[in-house]
Coordinates of all heavy atoms in Angstrom, one line a residue:
E805 N -9.0 21.0 23.6 CA -8.8 20.1 22.5 C -9.3 20.8 21.2 O -10.1 21.7 21.3 CB -9.6 18.8 22.6 CG -9.1 17.9 23.7 CD -9.6 16.5 23.6 OE1 -10.4 16.2 22.7 OE2 -9.3 15.6 24.5
F833 N -14.2 17.9 21.9 CA -14.6 18.8 20.9 C -15.9 18.2 20.3 O -16.2 17.0 20.5 CB -13.6 19.0 19.8 CG -13.2 17.7 19.2 CD1 -13.9 17.2 18.1 CD2 -12.2 16.9 19.7 CE1 -13.6 16.0 17.6 CE2 -11.8 15.7 19.2 CZ -12.5 15.2 18.1
H859 N -6.7 15.3 15.8 CA -7.1 16.1 17.0 C -6.0 16.0 18.1 O -5.2 15.1 18.1 CB -8.5 15.8 17.5 CG -8.6 14.5 18.2 ND1 -8.7 13.2 17.6 CD2 -8.8 14.3 19.6 CE1 -8.9 12.3 18.6 NE2 -8.9 12.9 19.7
S860 N -6.2 16.9 19.1 CA -5.3 17.0 20.2 C -5.9 16.5 21.5 O -7.1 16.5 21.6 CB -4.8 18.4 20.4 OG -6.0 19.2 20.6
H861 N -5.1 16.0 22.4 CA -5.5 15.7 23.7 C -4.7 16.5 24.7 O -3.6 16.9 24.4 CB -5.2 14.2 24.0 CG -6.2 13.2 23.5 ND1 -6.1 11.9 23.7 CD2 -7.3 13.4 22.8 CE1 -7.2 11.3 23.2 NE2 -7.9 12.2 22.6
F866 N -4.0 8.8 22.6 CA -4.6 7.5 22.4 C -6.0 7.7 21.8 O -6.5 8.8 21.7 CB -4.7 6.7 23.7 CG -5.6 7.4 24.7 CD1 -6.9 6.9 24.9 CD2 -5.2 8.5 25.4 CE1 -7.8 7.5 25.8 CE2 -6.1 9.1 26.3 CZ -7.4 8.6 26.5
S868 N -9.7 7.4 22.4 CA -10.6 7.1 23.4 C -11.9 6.5 22.9 O -12.1 6.4 21.7 CB -11.0 8.5 24.1 OG -11.7 9.3 23.2
D871 N -13.5 8.9 20.8 CA -12.9 9.0 19.5 C -13.3 7.9 18.6 O -13.5 8.1 17.4 CB -11.4 9.0 19.6 CG -10.8 10.2 20.4 OD1 -11.5 11.2 20.4 OD2 -9.7 10.0 21.0
V886 N -3.8 11.4 16.7 CA -4.0 12.1 18.0 C -2.7 12.7 18.5 O -1.7 11.9 18.6 CB -4.6 11.2 19.0 CG1 -5.0 11.9 20.3 CG2 -5.8 10.4 18.5
Ligands
ZN1449 ZN1 -9.6 12.1 21.6

Side-chain angles (χ1 to χ4, degrees):
E805 290 193 0
F833 55 87
H859 77 280
S860 55
H861 276 184
F866 65 102
S868 68
D871 294 336
V886 187

